[in-house]
Amino acid sequence: MTTTTTSPADADRALKAKHRALWALGDYPAVATEVIADLGPTLVTASAITPGDRVLDVAAGSGNAAIPAALAGAQVVASDLCPELLDVGRRAAGVAGATLEWREADAEALPFANGQFDAVLSCVGAMFAPHHRATADELVRVCRPGGTIGLISWTPAGFIGQMFATMKPYAPPPPPGAQPPPLWGDEAHVRALLGDRVTQFTAQRRMLRVTRFATPEAFRDFFKTAYGPTIATYAFNGDDPRRIADLDRDLADLARRHDLGGGAMDWEYLLVTARRVSAG
């Protein structure tokens, strides 16, 4: 009898392949353009991007922050693990008249030189890489001394953080060592990740007003067909109609609790900006 073991490198490749497939599910670009479109320009403005800046957007998806940065005159590289999202971004950039580079890349092992960029941004993207310390190390490494790191992440207590909490009982267990994405929306967690490698650290809790969904059920039905993590959670329960019905109910109830009237909701996020400390 022979046994096989999986090396850490093989396990990591398998995990990243799973993440790549997850974000190719559904229609995340529709989420980016129809629901959270304001976040990218907000991050670009908060990070004070100016013409000529060398900017890296990490886990850029279809370019929610990368395209506004390019339209502001920056020299932008949009990187993401999922090539399908990059393809959508290329087309969107062409329509918008934005010129930028699109690169397939892992947020935990970026293929860029130390200090290559004046600003390193991520808009609800890098937070989904499974290993937070490795991701933070890369964000800092590729930012030049004195450069800007700008992040927008969903908070644990906000709507999307609560959506993940709602889905957790229905979802498969996370891979060993993977950390919950909404931790990036906790100021203390981000401060600890970046540590003394940055200065001028600021963190603001803000609200995104979402008016895309007329009813709680409309939110649920949109996310169960467009948003990769939600699609994957439903698929995990695909042979159990009772659990599917319970998940349908719980997601609609979540949206109902956050309804401000007329279908409007406020989704909390954390906006972080910091400067990488100068050498010496």
Side-chain angles (χ1 to χ4, degrees), residues 122-160:
S122 189
C123 182
V124 295
M127 65 178 290
F128 290 100
H131 305 112
H132 295 187
R133 172 62 63 186
T135 302
D137 289 349
E138 286 295 271
L139 297 175
V140 173
R141 180 184 66 80
V142 300
C143 185
R144 68 165 175 82
T148 299
I149 296 172
L151 307 169
I152 283 181
S153 307
W154 302 118
T155 65
F159 181 83
I160 295 296

Side-chain angles (χ1 to χ4, degrees), residues 25-28 30-31 218-228 230-231 234:
L25 294 171
D27 189 2
Y28 183 75
V31 178
F219 154 76
R220 177 199 64 206
D221 293 345
F222 179 87
F223 264 65
K224 71 187 286 188
T225 58
Y227 193 63
T230 310
I231 295 169
Y234 272 94

Side-chain angles (χ1 to χ4, degrees), residues 129-268:
H131 305 112
H132 295 187
R133 172 62 63 186
T135 302
D137 289 349
E138 286 295 271
L139 297 175
V140 173
R141 180 184 66 80
V142 300
C143 185
R144 68 165 175 82
T148 299
I149 296 172
L151 307 169
I152 283 181
S153 307
W154 302 118
T155 65
F159 181 83
I160 295 296
Q162 289 303 297
M163 185 186 76
F164 277 97
T166 298
M167 295 193 299
K168 184 177 180 179
Y170 302 94
Q179 295 174 276
L183 278 179
W184 278 93
D186 180 278
E187 178 180 345
H189 183 68
V190 183
R191 281 185 180 274
L193 288 173
L194 299 178
D196 60 5
R197 298 176 296 179
V198 302
T199 187
Q200 299 180 38
F201 181 102
T202 66
Q204 303 174 50
R205 293 187 181 277
R206 294 189 179 184
M207 293 292 188
L208 173 71
R209 176 62 56 91
V210 175
T211 58
R212 167 65 172 74
F213 310 108
T215 65
E217 291 75 18
F219 154 76
R220 177 199 64 206
D221 293 345
F222 179 87
F223 264 65
K224 71 187 286 188
T225 58
Y227 193 63
T230 310
I231 295 169
T233 301
Y234 272 94
F236 184 68
N237 296 276
D239 59 353
D240 190 333
R242 181 187 59 81
R243 286 177 62 81
I244 293 292
D246 288 345
L247 180 55
D248 275 346
R249 179 201 63 220
D250 290 349
L251 286 176
D253 285 348
L254 172 72
R256 192 168 290 109
R257 291 195 300 273
H258 284 78
D259 189 353
L260 301 174
M265 296 184 280
D266 281 344
W267 294 5
E268 186 181 63

Side-chain angles (χ1 to χ4, degrees), residues 20-111:
R20 188 180 295 112
L22 173 73
W23 291 104
L25 294 171
D27 189 2
Y28 183 75
V31 178
T33 57
E34 297 178 26
V35 185
I36 64 170
D38 289 347
L39 292 184
T42 294
L43 181 59
V44 170
T45 298
S47 301
I49 302 303
T50 58
D53 283 348
R54 301 166 300 164
V55 175
L56 174 65
D57 186 2
V58 178
S62 52
N64 184 266
I67 292 173
L71 292 174
Q75 301 172 28
V76 181
V77 178
S79 68
D80 199 275
L81 191 64
C82 181
E84 291 87 349
L85 295 182
L86 296 177
D87 288 342
V88 175
R90 288 188 187 94
R91 295 192 292 271
V95 171
T99 300
L100 60 157
E101 180 182 351
W102 302 85
R103 290 279 301 275
E104 185 175 343
D106 179 359
E108 298 179 4
L110 294 169

